[in-house]
Amino acid sequence: MTRQAQSDNSKAVAQHFLLPDAEITLWRLWLDKPDADALLAPLTRELSWRQEQIRIYGKTVKIPRQQVWMGEPHCSYQYSGVRFTPSAWHPAVQRLTAAVSDSINQPLNCVLLNLYANGQDHMGWHADNEPELGVAPIIASLSLGATRRFDLQHQTQGHQLQLQLEHGSLLVMAGACQQHWQHRLPKQSRVAAPRLNLTFRYIAPPV
């Protein structure tokens, strides 16, 4: 079930999805096309993309996408046995982080950027539930480039949601979403164009 509501961001209308154990909001046009276009090419070209290796079931494998982890100096985190240390801010990414933070009225200080070369690049089922993100983390996901399918599934109740994440769209996963739901970006063999995704998060500074 969904309902429409006017977003505080005048560029878009927010679509709220009424789901158990999750608060999901999608702005399909959070960035208009000229603004989204102006970000896609330079970020793809200027960032130091890496195809990371992670451990899955005791084996070291290359992930099917390229990544950059960026944020404040204290924002290290561990995923699948690998510790990621943040790169220094790219000015455009830092401005985007501030804009998204203002738009959703939540603090954000780090971002995982994923570059999918085409529909063969993908991400499997997972939840963003690393301890560094705290309880009930808010994940804000900005999409640039090719439209890709995004799936969510409840871990115990069988509920599912399928979305199309378009160029310039912003998806926010909040509430208990990361405790009770998983999400993925599946392969889509017919997609030939690249997609760049920025997932903004918050990691509390050490006390």
Side-chain angles (χ1 to χ4, degrees):
M1 182 183 299
T2 66
R3 60 185 174 88
Q4 298 281 347
Q6 183 65 41
S7 166
D8 290 338
N9 184 341
S10 61
K11 297 177 182 178
V13 172
Q15 188 176 15
H16 301 283
F17 296 85
L18 305 181
L19 301 169
D21 304 318
E23 299 171 18
I24 306 293
T25 305
L26 176 63
W27 290 264
R28 295 190 182 278
L29 288 173
W30 189 81
L31 286 176
D32 58 26
K33 188 176 185 302
D35 289 340
D37 288 347
L39 286 166
L40 178 59
L43 291 182
T44 301
R45 181 179 62 249
E46 295 171 10
L47 298 186
S48 299
W49 297 100
R50 295 179 55 183
Q51 188 176 19
E52 302 285 359
Q53 294 184 333
I54 60 174
R55 291 189 64 79
I56 299 178
Y57 301 119
K59 295 182 179 180
T60 300
V61 298
K62 289 185 177 181
I63 60 173
R65 59 195 173 276
Q66 296 185 76
Q67 291 185 327
V68 176
W69 174 246
M70 191 176 296
E72 296 300 318
H74 73 273
C75 292
S76 295
Y77 87 115
Q78 186 163 321
Y79 170 70
S80 292
V82 179
R83 178 154 292 278
F84 294 88
T85 300
S87 302
W89 286 110
H90 183 285
V93 176
Q94 190 170 30
R95 289 192 297 270
L96 267 178
T97 304
V100 173
S101 178
D102 288 345
S103 184
I104 67 174
N105 196 30
Q106 294 291 334
L108 301 167
N109 60 6
C110 49
V111 54
L112 179 64
L113 299 99
N114 288 292
L115 180 61
Y116 302 87
N118 52 47
Q120 293 301 314
D121 282 0
H122 63 283
M123 184 177 289
W125 288 112
H126 70 286
D128 296 321
N129 57 2
E130 290 78 22
E132 294 89 342
L133 300 178
V135 178
I138 293 173
I139 308 295
S141 175
L142 176 65
S143 296
L144 301 172
T147 298
R148 292 289 297 267
R149 196 181 98 203
F150 185 80
D151 298 334
L152 297 104
Q153 66 176 8
H154 196 283
Q155 295 186 48
T156 59
Q157 297 182 17
H159 301 290
Q160 296 182 344
L161 178 65
Q162 185 179 110
L163 301 171
Q164 296 293 325
L165 299 185
E166 304 164 62
H167 187 44
S169 66
L170 180 68
L171 174 71
V172 175
M173 296 179 284
C177 183
Q178 304 306 320
Q179 281 72 45
H180 297 283
W181 290 73
Q182 291 187 323
H183 52 275
R184 70 169 181 174
L185 191 86
K187 289 184 179 181
Q188 290 181 270
S189 59
R190 295 184 179 182
V191 175
R195 173 184 185 256
L196 197 163
N197 172 238
L198 302 91
T199 54
F200 303 92
R201 305 125 188 270
Y202 178 77
I203 294 178
V207 178

